[in-house]
Amino acid sequence: MSDIAGTRPALTWVVHLSVAALVLLWVFPTLGLLISSFRTADQIATSGWWKSLFPSEQNLTLRTAAPETQAQQDGIYVIEGNLFGEAGDANISVWGISSRAIDAFEPGDTAELRKGGTITVASNGDYRMENAEEFTGSRGSRVFATATTPPEFTVQNYNKVLLDPGNVDGMGNAFFNTLTVTIPATIIPILVAAFAAYALAWMEFPGRALLIAAVVGLLVVPLQLALIPLLKFHLSIGIGKGYLGVWMAHTGFGMPLAIYLLRNYMAGLPRDLIENARVDGATEFQIFTKLILPLSFPALASFAIFQFLWTWNDLLVAKVFLIDASGQTTVMTNRIVELLGTRGGNWEILATAAFVSIAVPLAVFFAMQKYLVRGLLAGSVK
Amino acid sequence: MHPAIQGLLTIVIGVSGCVGYFYFSNQFLDKVLFPARGPNAGRNINRANMIRPWLFLFPALAALGLYLAYPVYETLRLSLTERIPGGGYQWAGADNYVQMVAEPKFWEAMRNNMLWLIVVPALSTGFGLLVAQLTDRIRWGNVAKSLIFMPMAISFVGASVIWKLVYDTRPAEQDQIGILNAVYIFFGGTDPQTWLTIPFWNNFFLMVVLVWIQTGFAMVILSAALRGIPEETIEAAILDGANPFQIFFRIKVPQIKTTILVVWTTITITVLKVFDIVFAMTNGQWETQVLANYMYDKLFRANDWGVGSASAMVIMVLVTPILIWNVRNARKEMR
C-alpha cells in the first residue's frame, strides 16, 4: 500500500518542508519589520535585522570614568570600573587605546596610557587604571574595543512614536483618529444592512429578486467612481471634509457586502421558526429583533470584522472625505505614507509607526479568525 | 468638541436613530396608517405588509443609491463635460477621453494594469491552491494556513512599508539591511540594486506585495472547496493507480473549477482597484503607474475632473464583465 498518495514517507517530507518554506517566506517580511521596530536607529542602519537575533561583533568606542573618580590605594592612584557601565554579556576580543590601532591588545593585557599610567582591560569590560601620580583632565580615556554584544532590543521607539506628545512624527493622535473613524463606520452599516437583509430574505414583495441582483452588481462597483461625485455632494450639503462625511461614505461603501452576507445567512435560517413566530402573532419587527438578530450573530460578526479591517486599513476614503488642509484629522495610514515621503530612510520611525497601525488588525485577526474565514466563504459570489 | 466624544455621540445618535426609525415607522404603519382593527382590518393588514418591506429597506437603499449607483451616473456625466473657468460645466463630448488617450502616462497605466491583471490573480490563486493542497493532510496545517492568511489583516500601506524594508538598498560598501539585496549579494551579485527603480521589472516587485496579501484569501476559499470534494472520487482514483499529481490535476482541480474562477475574479476586482500600494511605494514613478493611481493624480493633483472621471470610467468598464457574470450567477443560484 506504500503507493497511496500522502503515505509515502519521502513525499510526506517534501510536503512538510515545502509548507515550512512557504510559511517562512510569508512571515519573514513582517517579522523583519517587527524586529526592526525594537532596534535603535544605529542598529538598523548598520546591520540587517536578521543578524540582530544573534550576538554580533561590533567596533565600539568606549570611555573610562573621569579622573575625579580616582582613589588612592597603597600609594598609587587607581580608577576602576566597567567600560559597558556594568559587567554584562558583552565579550571583548581585542582592544586598543588609539584609533589607529584598535586591535593592539588582547583582554588582560596592560597598555601604557599616553598621559601617563597604565590600563588593563578584561574581556568582560572591567578595567583598572593605575598611575603613580594623580590622573589629570576632566574626561576619561578612550578605549577602542572590538566586542561581541548580545542581541539588544529597546522599546524606546514605541515610547517616542506613541507617547511623546512633542514628537511631530508621533502617531498617538492619528491612532485615536483612526479609532474615531472606524467604530461608528463599523456599527452603523451593520444595523442598516440587517433590516434590509431581513426584508430581502423573508418578506415577499414585487421587485425583490431585482434588488438582490442589484446588490450583487454593486458589490464590485469600484469606489473610485464615487470620489468626486460624493465629495461634491458633501460639499454642497455643508458636511465638507470631516468625520461625518467619512462615516457616511464607509456606510455606503460597506452596504452591498453587508446586505449580501447577511441576506445569504438569514435566508438559510429554518423557515418553520419564522412562520411559527408569525402564526403566534409576532410582528415583523419583533421577529427581527427577538429571533433573527440573535440567530444571525455569526454573520454579523463576520461582516463586522470585514468592515473593521477595511475601515481601519483604508487610505483612499480617508484621504478624500476626511483629511482637510489643517491635517488635524489625519489617520494612521496617511501618517505612514507621509513618513515614507519625509523619513524614507528612518526605519526606526517607519517600522514602529507601521507596526502601531498593524497591531490592532492583527490582534482582531487572530482573535476572530473563525468568523473571518466564515465570512469569506459566504461572501465570495458562488 | 473632541472627535472621540463626537464619535461616541455619533454611535449613540446613529444607532438610536436607526432603531428609532425602524421601531416608530413600524408602529406608525400598524397603529395609525393601517390599524389592524375596525371594519377594514383584513385589508389594512395586507396593505401594511405590502409597505413594510420598503420601510425595512429604505435606509439601505438610500445609502446604496446615493453612494454607489448615483456616482456611476455622475462620473459618466463628468467624464463627458468640462469645467468652465469661473464655475459651471459645459458639454465636452469625448474630448476628455481623447485627451486621456493621447497621454503616454495613460497607456503606461493601462499596460501595467494589464500586467497586474494577469500576474496577480494567477500567482495568488496558484499559491493559494498549492498551500491549500499541501496543508490539507498535515497536522500543523491550520497553523501554517493561519500564518499565510495573516497578511489579509495588514493594510496595503503597512504592507508597503514591510516590503520597502525588504527592497531597501544601502551603498555597496555598507552592510545591506534589505533582505533582497543581502540575498542578492550573498549569491554573488556585485552591486546592490535599487529594486523599485528598475523600469518594467519594478512592477513585479510591487505585484509581489499584493500576491503576498491575496494568497491567504485564495487559500481559505480553495481549501474549503478541496475539503468539499467527495472522498469516493479520490479513493476510486487511488484504486485505479493514479499518482498524487494525477489525483490533484485530474481529479481535484476539475471538481473545484468554479471556485477557482470565483477566486480569480474576486482578486481581479481587487487588482483593478489597487491604489495604496503604488501610491505608497513609488507613486507611479519609474514607469509603475496604474489606473487607480493615475485617476487619483488627475482628480486631486492636476484637479482635472474630466480626465479623472474618464479614467474612472475605464476602470468601471473593465469591471463590468465581472459584474454581469456575478449577477447572472447569483440569479441562477436563487432559482
Side-chain angles (χ1 to χ4, degrees):
Chain A
M1 290 295 276
S2 68
D3 270 2
I4 289 177
T7 58
R8 273 187 297 188
L11 197 63
T12 315
W13 276 109
V14 171
V15 167
H16 278 281
L17 285 179
S18 24
V19 172
L22 281 167
V23 168
L24 275 182
L25 202 62
W26 250 255
V27 171
F28 232 53
T30 321
L31 197 64
L33 199 75
L34 177 64
I35 290 173
S36 295
S37 72
F38 287 106
R39 305 176 76 203
T40 64
D42 277 352
Q43 287 173 324
I44 297 176
T46 51
S47 64
W49 58 267
W50 53 92
K51 291 182 185 158
S52 72
L53 299 176
F54 310 102
S56 64
E57 196 172 72
Q58 284 173 303
N59 294 325
L60 303 165
T61 306
L62 305 159
R63 203 174 272 281
T64 64
E68 65 200 34
T69 61
Q70 61 192 306
Q72 246 183 326
Q73 292 176 3
D74 307 333
I76 53 173
Y77 292 89
V78 174
I79 303 177
E80 273 183 318
N82 186 287
L83 288 171
F84 300 106
E86 56 189 83
D89 297 330
N91 204 347
I92 294 175
S93 54
V94 286
W95 59 281
I97 50 170
S98 149
S99 59
R100 270 161 299 170
I102 59 169
D103 53 357
F105 305 101
E106 301 272 321
D109 286 356
T110 302
E112 297 274 336
L113 288 164
R114 248 173 302 162
K115 288 191 287 182
T118 59
I119 179 168
T120 310
V121 176
S123 66
N124 68 355
D126 282 341
Y127 64 89
R128 181 180 167 90
M129 292 165 76
E130 293 178 353
N131 199 348
E133 294 152 37
E134 199 173 343
F135 286 102
T136 55
S138 58
R139 303 172 70 189
S141 333
R142 281 193 298 174
V143 174
F144 301 88
T146 302
T148 316
T149 49
E152 199 190 335
F153 298 103
T154 165
V155 291
Q156 155 202 343
N157 296 333
Y158 284 91
N159 272 335
K160 202 172 151 199
V161 164
L162 267 182
L163 304 176
D164 179 5
N167 181 7
V168 287
D169 294 325
M171 297 286 282
N173 186 26
F175 187 91
F176 283 108
N177 290 345
T178 305
L179 259 183
T180 312
V181 169
T182 307
I183 295 176
T186 305
I187 294 176
I188 293 173
I190 294 183
L191 209 60
V192 174
F195 278 96
Y198 173 63
L200 289 174
W202 286 107
M203 290 176 166
E204 295 290 340
F205 60 93
R208 188 173 79 150
L210 204 69
L211 277 181
I212 297 172
V215 169
V216 174
L218 290 176
L219 265 177
V220 300
V221 168
L223 70 91
Q224 266 89 355
L225 269 78
L227 301 182
I228 285 297
L230 290 178
L231 189 59
K232 265 172 61 184
F233 170 71
H234 281 179
L235 293 175
S236 71
I237 61 170
I239 298 177
K241 285 185 160 201
Y243 286 110
L244 194 56
V246 83
W247 289 325
M248 286 168 59
H250 276 311
T251 302
F253 298 147
M255 198 54 58
L257 184 66
I259 298 179
Y260 182 74
L261 272 182
L262 295 177
R263 191 208 83 91
N264 278 1
Y265 190 86
M266 288 177 188
L269 293 174
R271 173 173 286 276
D272 293 350
L273 211 64
I274 289 145
E275 303 213 318
N276 282 344
R278 279 187 186 148
V279 170
D280 289 345
T283 65
E284 297 284 341
F285 190 78
Q286 283 169 333
I287 295 177
F288 176 75
T289 49
K290 302 242 167 83
L291 207 59
I292 302 282
L293 267 193
L295 283 177
S296 308
F297 176 76
L300 296 174
S302 295
F303 173 73
I305 297 167
F306 274 119
Q307 182 76 355
F308 174 81
L309 289 180
W310 145 246
T311 47
W312 184 279
N313 289 339
D314 157 77
L315 170 69
L316 188 56
V317 176
K319 258 183 122 54
V320 174
F321 294 108
L322 173 66
I323 298 162
D324 53 19
S326 75
Q328 281 305 304
T329 50
T330 188
V331 293
M332 280 196 286
T333 45
N334 190 52
R335 288 294 295 136
I336 295 170
V337 172
E338 283 169 10
L339 288 176
L340 271 175
T342 56
R343 303 297 206 103
N346 297 30
W347 280 108
E348 75 286 0
I349 296 178
L350 268 175
T352 314
F355 235 89
V356 166
S357 112
I358 293 172
V360 176
L362 278 188
V364 170
F365 171 83
F366 281 114
M368 323 257 302
Q369 201 178 6
K370 188 175 75 180
Y371 293 108
L372 188 66
V373 169
R374 233 186 253 176
L376 271 186
L377 292 176
S380 51
V381 184
K382 282 180 216 80
Chain B
M1 191 166 32
H2 194 274
I5 303 170
Q6 202 187 339
L8 271 177
L9 212 64
T10 310
I11 298 178
V12 174
I13 294 175
V15 170
S16 53
C18 279
V19 173
Y21 160 79
F22 287 114
Y23 182 74
F24 288 113
S25 62
N26 272 287
Q27 287 288 325
F28 178 75
L29 190 68
D30 289 331
K31 298 274 150 68
V32 183
L33 205 55
F34 298 117
R37 56 192 141 73
N40 298 327
R43 202 191 67 191
N44 278 354
I45 289 177
N46 282 342
R47 283 194 180 167
N49 282 343
M50 269 171 66
I51 294 179
R52 198 182 328 275
W54 300 101
L55 285 184
F56 275 58
L57 282 167
F58 171 72
L61 288 187
L64 280 178
L66 181 61
Y67 280 86
L68 286 165
Y70 157 76
V72 177
Y73 157 79
E74 178 67 6
T75 303
L76 180 63
R77 194 184 69 84
L78 281 174
S79 75
L80 297 172
T81 55
E82 61 188 357
R83 273 195 282 193
I84 316 166
Y89 295 86
Q90 72 182 26
W91 180 254
D95 283 4
N96 290 320
Y97 291 89
V98 171
Q99 191 191 334
M100 179 176 72
V101 170
E103 276 185 42
K105 263 287 177 193
F106 169 74
W107 288 109
E108 180 194 313
M110 280 296 266
R111 181 203 69 180
N112 290 342
N113 247 92
M114 292 304 143
L115 272 180
W116 280 76
L117 279 180
I118 297 164
V119 174
V120 176
L123 285 185
S124 307
T125 315
F127 273 120
L129 192 56
L130 183 70
V131 178
Q133 165 67 18
L134 291 182
T135 53
D136 201 24
R137 292 285 156 82
I138 62 179
R139 220 174 307 136
W140 56 290
N142 280 337
V143 179
K145 276 199 272 190
S146 134
L147 286 173
I148 289 180
F149 192 31
M150 181 191 71
M152 261 312 262
I154 296 176
S155 61
F156 287 155
V157 174
S160 302
V161 176
I162 289 175
W163 283 88
K164 264 207 137 163
L165 181 60
V166 171
Y167 298 145
D168 188 273
T169 312
R170 297 279 140 158
E173 65 275 9
Q174 289 179 18
D175 259 7
Q176 294 301 319
I177 68 166
I179 199 158
L180 190 60
N181 265 317
V183 170
Y184 177 72
I185 303 268
F186 181 81
F187 283 107
T190 43
D191 287 318
Q193 303 286 315
T194 48
W195 304 104
L196 291 176
T197 61
I198 310 168
F200 189 69
W201 298 109
N202 50 8
N203 283 305
F204 293 92
F205 291 116
L206 296 183
M207 289 177 212
V208 165
V209 183
L210 194 57
V211 171
W212 179 72
I213 293 175
Q214 292 290 326
T215 295
F217 162 75
M219 175 199 73
V220 165
I221 308 243
L222 294 171
S223 170
L226 283 178
R227 294 249 162 105
I229 294 177
E231 264 320 294
E232 305 87 72
T233 56
I234 296 162
E235 278 163 17
I238 293 173
L239 287 180
D240 288 346
N243 68 36
F245 292 97
Q246 285 173 323
I247 291 176
F248 181 67
F249 286 108
R250 299 266 181 85
I251 309 289
K252 287 187 171 176
V253 171
Q255 293 195 66
I256 57 169
K257 224 168 37 195
T258 23
T259 314
I260 294 178
L261 205 58
V262 167
V263 169
W264 191 291
T265 50
T266 312
I267 298 176
T268 303
I269 304 267
T270 316
V271 170
L272 276 171
K273 298 189 222 171
V274 69
F275 159 77
D276 314 33
I277 294 176
V278 176
F279 184 78
M281 288 185 88
T282 62
N283 200 3
Q285 288 169 291
W286 309 296
E287 298 177 27
T288 54
Q289 190 65 291
V290 292
L291 278 175
N293 193 50
Y294 173 83
M295 189 210 73
Y296 185 86
D297 257 0
K298 285 289 163 200
L299 288 183
F300 297 104
R301 294 225 182 81
N303 228 348
D304 188 342
W305 289 10
V307 174
S309 299
S311 51
M313 284 315 290
V314 173
I315 301 180
M316 184 68 212
V317 167
L318 290 174
V319 170
T320 306
I322 300 176
L323 188 153
I324 294 171
W325 188 71
N326 274 357
V327 170
R328 285 174 66 173
N329 278 355
R331 301 205 66 155
K332 220 187 296 168
E333 201 183 280
M334 258 185 301
R335 263 182 221 125

